[in-house]
Amino acid sequence: MLYLAIFLITVLYILYQSPLMVLKKFQDSMTRFAFGKEKPVLVDSFYACTDKLINGTEKDMKDYSNKVLIVTNVASKWGLTKQNYTEFVELSKELREKGLEILAFPCHQFGSQEPGSPEEILKFVEKFDAKDRLVFFEKAHVNGKNTREVFGYLKQELPTEGNDSNDIRWNFTKFLISPDGKPVKRFAPTESPLSFKSDIEELLKEIKKSED
């Protein structure tokens, strides 16, 4: 009887959870299984993070101080790749001179959709005029034990809303960062870059104020 009661309570708990929440928890479990448990975040600010550019050169995030940043994990073979790159380039053309920088971090963890070498990735994005409009970093992980430092910090500061996990869900998750290095908003993979243009423009005003 005790085992039956435990079983029924478990079933009721699962049914009580929304299907989306159950799916997210399952995805989290698969992430841990596939990529290992994520290490603790040791940095206490975005500007304390470092990474490597796609050519292998080490890059300090503090080099982007007093800039509005979009940080995103990119991939070449997703259904929304074209839309994201096209809109990122549009934003860059209009707002880069005002202080916007878009940092692109290739990642092969989601559907194996970024299989190319650094040279192949850069050649692919040329079709969108993105090679020189976005700043590209080395391909690396954004979930699991080998999570790159930048994403470990950003996930900690802006966890997934309504869930107890910080995991990146898919390609083109986007983080918006203010000119003082504070992570401000996190956008889902399906949210297009132009959908939060007004948020970017509000943050760009902070740069102008500091220069006045």
Side-chain angles (χ1 to χ4, degrees):
M1 289 295 293
L2 177 61
Y3 291 115
L4 178 59
I6 293 173
F7 173 75
L8 291 174
I9 291 172
T10 302
V11 170
L12 289 173
Y13 174 77
I14 292 173
L15 292 175
Y16 176 77
Q17 301 293 310
S18 70
L20 181 58
M21 185 64 71
V22 173
L23 178 61
K24 286 181 177 180
K25 288 181 180 296
F26 176 76
Q27 185 177 359
D28 294 341
S29 298
M30 292 300 98
T31 296
R32 303 293 179 273
F33 177 78
F35 302 111
K37 184 178 179 180
E38 201 157 313
K39 298 175 183 177
V41 177
L42 301 179
V43 295
D44 60 1
S45 75
F46 179 77
Y47 292 147
C49 297
T50 61
D51 211 294
K52 288 186 178 180
L53 296 170
I54 200 165
N55 63 7
T57 302
E58 192 163 290
K59 187 68 171 175
D60 295 328
M61 295 303 110
K62 65 182 179 181
D63 293 342
Y64 298 108
S65 61
N66 204 36
K67 297 281 188 182
V68 174
L69 302 176
I70 299 173
V71 174
T72 181
N73 55 305
V74 300
S76 302
K77 297 183 178 296
W78 188 37
L80 295 180
T81 293
K82 179 179 179 180
Q83 178 186 10
N84 275 277
Y85 274 130
T86 299
E87 293 190 14
F88 278 140
V89 168
E90 183 176 339
L91 287 172
S92 177
K93 287 180 177 179
E94 182 178 349
L95 301 175
R96 193 174 197 179
E97 290 186 1
K98 297 180 180 179
L100 173 67
E101 286 287 358
I102 303 167
L103 311 186
F105 293 80
C107 181
H108 193 53
Q109 285 186 285
F110 305 102
S112 300
Q113 294 178 348
E114 189 68 291
S117 66
E119 294 76 18
E120 289 170 332
I121 291 171
L122 292 178
K123 182 175 178 60
F124 171 79
V125 300
E126 282 181 348
K127 68 177 69 175
F128 308 108
D129 194 26
K131 179 180 177 181
D132 298 317
R133 285 286 173 185
L134 280 63
V135 181
F136 284 87
F137 288 78
E138 278 190 343
K139 181 163 60 175
H141 287 187
V142 297
N143 286 331
K145 65 180 181 180
N146 295 319
T147 295
R148 59 203 321 160
E149 189 175 51
V150 167
F151 277 80
Y153 173 74
L154 291 176
K155 291 192 296 179
Q156 174 182 272
E157 295 301 300
L158 294 173
T160 306
E161 184 176 350
N163 190 25
D164 57 2
S165 169
N166 298 341
D167 283 351
I168 301 298
R169 292 299 175 198
W170 202 255
N171 306 308
F172 291 97
T173 295
K174 307 158 190 80
F175 294 90
L176 185 60
I177 301 171
S178 69
D180 61 357
K182 179 182 178 182
V184 176
K185 287 188 178 182
R186 174 173 176 163
F187 300 92
T190 52
E191 293 181 89
S192 71
L194 288 179
S195 70
F196 55 94
K197 182 181 178 182
S198 60
D199 295 293
I200 298 169
E201 291 173 326
E202 282 300 311
L203 291 176
L204 288 171
K205 293 177 182 177
E206 295 181 16
I207 296 178
K208 191 174 187 308
K209 286 179 182 178
S210 67
E211 293 175 346
D212 290 342

